[in-house]
Structure formats: structure tokens, C-alpha cells
Amino acid sequence: MDATTSGTQPIQYHNIPDQPITAIAATPVSAFQRQQRHCFGDSIPGEFPLSANPSIVLHVLTACNLDPQDLAKLEASALIMQPANFAPDFALSLSELAALDMCQNRAIFRPMTTEERQELKQRCGGSWKLVLRFLLAGEACCRREKSQAIAGPGHSIAVTSKGVVYSFGSNSSGQLGHGTTEEEWRPQPIRSLQGIRIIQAAAGAGRTMLISDAGRVYAFGKDSFGEAEYGVQGAKLVTSPQLVESLKNIYVVQAAIGNFFTAVLSREGRVYTFSWGSDFKLGHQTDPNDLEPHPLLGALENIPVVQIAAGYCYLLALACQPSGMSVYSVGCGLGGKLGHGSRTDEKYPRLIEQFQVLNLQPMVVAAGAWHAAVVGRDGRVCTWGWGRYGCLGHGNEECESVPKVVESLSKVKAVHVATGDYTTFVVSDDGDVYSFGCGESSSLGHNGGADGQGNRHANVLSPELVTSLKQVNERVVQISLTNSIYWNAHTFALTESGKLYAFGAGDKGQLGIELVANQTERGNPELVEIDLS
């Protein structure tokens, strides 16, 4: 039915000249409009050509949350490329101004001074679109400011979407932060952090680090950042969160704890490390008890990093460059886990070149104790390193010294990967979970046999769907598992609605579930009584 027969008047478009879009884009902007930032200026709707006041375009670009790649494509249009004539920079194009607007919505960008913002812009490549890509990439791979669960060695940390922290499990070093050294299986909030919003957490053997939305770092447990898991105990135990004074002048957004070192990432994408021993294994000479952060020298000094991941004795860094995303590795090369085609140690960060060969844009990186994994933008998964127990997912236990695509996941679009001690989990875009590797302590989530108990400790050489998580009827968004060669592993699965499921070893209360009689583990995912939404 057309407008005439329905009685409805046809819509009239007035005062829009019949001319090519290139001519419209070239229409000059009057001086008095350049100080205004609203849709219609002194005109009324329908009475102005789009180029005469393009702020409506800016509103659409910002409100639609277009990603940096889309904004870059739009710059092919003369309309989008021309100066927007708006504060804070009248020379910026509409796409650049839209990117800046979206940057200003990010929590770690808002507190920056003008000088700090400009420094970040130059570090990212001189474009606000590149800054936006850097910020979005960090949020995506680290769940920054979102709920998260950390399955540490013997103890666990859970952070709600509002930044409240719960801890439970082993507490021999005070790593739960409750002011005691008593073990606790019930998730308990860390009350001394009341009023402080935590956005990211890291757990190592006997130690915990928490990062606030103000970029401050709180640590508790063993007091040495570089002490090995079973090395000499620190001079004292810290049983309540204490501000790390040596980091107070660095706005930190992520921490990663290895066996001999701790690394932190600043909001500008700089990597700092604490300790690594006296033989320059991370490009600087430090004492194991060194409490001062040292910048990671070498190739990453002038390249912004969006995510760091620590293995037993090596570090991976996901970097954001104008040419695309890339991965660098540094540390011990045993087993080929640095990804360079050899087993040679690297004192300074070195680019893993294989991703260019594979035409894969890395988006998430995970460092297991002895192997590593990456998820690409196209959903492919690559693994490399020591393949013991099948943790690489290639159907064997062979080592791979360069990243290799997991072919059996070719029909799965992955969005998240987690690694532990010879164990790997992959989460697909529809929330399904696949796991492979060492089945010890039931941490893979596979229960064979009709009774669900038949083969839950078996090693898995190729990715298998974790059907026990499929049965919770919720989309899984994050997996975390123990990344330590000295502790039995446990695993957390966090769902979209904020429910937390746990399985694997629970002998220290690290599952957040009470075990009875002689139980030491749970083979099936069980709901932890804590709401992280």
C-alpha cells in the first residue's frame, strides 16, 4: 500500500541541492558554526546539507561504537576526511574526532593529562584511531573492568564487575589477604579493600597482586617479587593488601607472575619486571629480592603492549603496532616455547615472525608453564612449545618450536584461550569450551563412561568439547586454570551472567566448594556460591 492510498502524506525533503556528494562535501563551513557542536546550528531539521554541519555524522560514528578499522575505511570519503572544525582540535577529521570521543569513554584514558594523551598518541603511531585500537585490544584480552576469576597455585581470586575481590584456598603465606594465614574454602571478600575498585588480578605461588582502577598495585603473600615457588621464603609475610610503593609513579593496568619474576604493564603499554636473577635473563641485572621495577629493554621500548603473559621462566607480550598486532617473547627457550624455531634463550624481547607467515593477527596470548597459545582475529588457534601430554592439541606429544595452527579446531571460531601446566582450554564465540592436555586432577572437565567417572584423569591429545560445561546451559566467557608445575590444577569457568563454575583439585579449598570425607577434587563443574555479575 502506498502513501496516497493510505491517506498518509508523502514525506517531503526540502532544500537539499541536487548535486554530487563530492560537491556537498566541498561546501564551506561558516565561521560561526565552527564553535558549535550540535546537530542543527541555527537551522531546523531538513534545511541543511550534511556537510554544512557534520556533527550529526560525528554523533552517529561515536554512538555506533565503530571499531578503528571501520573508521579508517570511512576516511576514504571526502566528507569524513575533511576537518570537523570542532574542539578540542579543529584540524581533526570526523573519524579521528569520533575515535578520540570513544577513547575518552575508556576508564584508563579519562584520567590522562593532555600531555599524557599526546604521548600515548605518538607511541601508538600518531592517530587516535590507533590509540582506540590499543585500548580496545587491552580490554578484550584482559577482561579489564569486567568480572574475572583467577585459578592460582593452591588459592583463587575472584573479582566482581564492581571491583569487589573474593579470595579462598591455601593461605600459608597470607596470599588470601584476610590478615591471617588460615586456609579458607568459602569465598570471602577482602574487607581492607573496601572503597577500592579492583580491575585486574594475578596469582602466583604464595602471592597475589591486585590492580585498582586508579592504576595502583596492591600485593600480599610472599614479599619477594622474584622468589621461586619453592625457593627461600621472603623476609616476612604480608597478610593484608599493601600498596607497592615502587610502582606508585606507574599507572599499572595488568600484572603477570612467573616462577622467578613478576611483570607489570603500564597504561601506555610499557613493560616493567621485578627480578630474574643476576645473569641478565630479562635484559637487566637484578637480585632475586629486588623490589624495584625495571623497564623491559630492547625491541618493545617504543612499541605499545596491550597484554603480557608469564610462563614458568619466560614472558610473552602482545604488541599493537600501526601495521597490526604482533607477539614478542623473552626468557628461557627450552622446549621451543619462545616460538622462534629454536630452543635458544632470549635476553631481550624478540618478534615471533611465524604469525606473518600464517597471515594471522594475534588477539589473545596465553603462556603456560612450558607451552604457549594465541587466538587470531579470524578465530584460529595456534600453539607451540613443549607438547607433553598433548597440550598443543596436534594429536601427539611432539614439541613445536614455532606457532602451529590447531587444525582440529578449524571449524571453531575461538575468542579466548587459557593455558596451564601442560593443559590448554579454548572458548569459542558461541560459548563452547574445548580442552586438551594433561588430565591429572580432573582439571580438563572430561568425564568418560556412563557414570561420568570412567576416564576423567586421561590425557587428551586433541581438542575435545567439554560437555560437562555444555550442560550448564550458559555461554562461557572466560576460563582460568592453575599455571604451576608444583600444584595440582583446578579450573574456573565464568559465564556471561556472572556465574562461576569450578572443577579439578580442591584439597586446599581453592575450588570455593566444601569437600567432604576424603575428597580432594571435583570432576564435574560445580557452581561456586558467589555472584560476579
Side-chain angles (χ1 to χ4, degrees), residues 12 37 53 63 137 192 196 202 214 251 261 297 317 388 399 454 484 527:
Q12 300 294 326
R37 186 172 176 174
N53 197 327
S192 61
I196 300 173
Y251 194 113
F261 69 99
L297 305 177
R388 192 176 181 186
C399 294
S484 168
L527 183 65

Side-chain angles (χ1 to χ4, degrees), residues 243-259:
L243 191 66
V244 180
E245 291 292 332
S246 60
L247 289 170
K248 65 182 179 181
N249 293 323
I250 300 173
Y251 194 113
V252 176
V253 295
Q254 192 202 346
I257 302 175
N259 191 65

Side-chain angles (χ1 to χ4, degrees), residues 109-353:
F109 187 86
R110 283 194 296 267
M112 282 183 161
T113 65
T114 301
E115 292 74 18
E116 289 170 337
R117 292 180 178 186
Q118 288 298 326
E119 181 185 353
L120 178 60
K121 180 182 178 182
Q122 295 309 311
R123 184 171 171 80
C124 288
S127 165
W128 291 119
K129 293 186 293 295
L130 294 176
V131 174
L132 178 61
R133 186 181 69 168
F134 166 76
L135 296 174
L136 292 176
E139 291 175 4
C141 60
C142 299
R143 291 192 61 81
R144 189 181 300 148
E145 295 190 81
K146 295 181 180 179
S147 57
Q148 57 190 267
I150 310 297
H155 75 290
S156 304
I157 304 294
V159 184
T160 73
S161 59
K162 294 182 180 179
V164 178
V165 181
Y166 291 79
S167 61
F168 43 100
S170 175
N171 196 30
S172 58
S173 299
Q175 62 264 43
L176 298 186
H178 300 313
T180 71
T181 55
E182 296 177 5
E183 193 173 288
E184 178 61 69
W185 69 265
R186 293 181 181 86
Q188 298 289 342
I190 302 179
R191 303 190 186 282
S192 61
L193 290 172
Q194 188 172 2
I196 300 173
R197 187 181 180 215
I198 300 300
I199 63 169
Q200 206 267 334
R207 61 178 66 84
T208 303
M209 297 181 74
L210 304 174
I211 299 167
S212 76
D213 60 353
R216 298 296 184 93
V217 180
Y218 299 84
F220 42 100
K222 292 182 180 180
D223 68 334
S224 172
F225 288 107
E227 175 187 325
E229 291 192 21
Y230 278 92
V232 178
Q233 185 73 9
K236 63 177 181 178
L237 301 181
V238 179
T239 60
S240 295
Q242 288 190 4
L243 191 66
V244 180
E245 291 292 332
S246 60
L247 289 170
K248 65 182 179 181
N249 293 323
I250 300 173
Y251 194 113
V252 176
V253 295
Q254 192 202 346
I257 302 175
N259 191 65
F260 304 101
F261 69 99
T262 297
V264 297
L265 178 66
S266 77
R267 67 177 171 185
E268 297 84 11
R270 293 187 174 91
V271 181
Y272 299 82
T273 62
F274 293 91
S275 188
W276 187 258
S278 59
D279 55 355
F280 295 89
K281 284 185 179 171
L282 276 184
H284 49 67
Q285 185 173 11
T286 57
D287 181 85
N289 294 313
D290 193 351
L291 298 180
E292 294 297 321
H294 296 267
L296 188 58
L297 305 177
L300 292 176
E301 290 182 68
N302 297 307
I303 298 175
V305 172
V306 300
Q307 182 201 359
I308 53 177
Y312 180 80
C313 52
Y314 70 107
L315 182 72
L316 299 180
L318 178 62
C320 185
Q321 299 172 267
S323 59
M325 306 294 287
S326 54
V327 180
Y328 289 75
S329 62
V330 60
C332 172
L334 187 64
K337 58 185 177 293
L338 296 185
H340 304 306
S342 69
R343 301 185 180 188
T344 305
D345 295 351
E346 297 290 342
K347 294 182 179 179
Y348 298 97
R350 178 181 170 186
L351 174 68
I352 299 179
E353 298 177 353

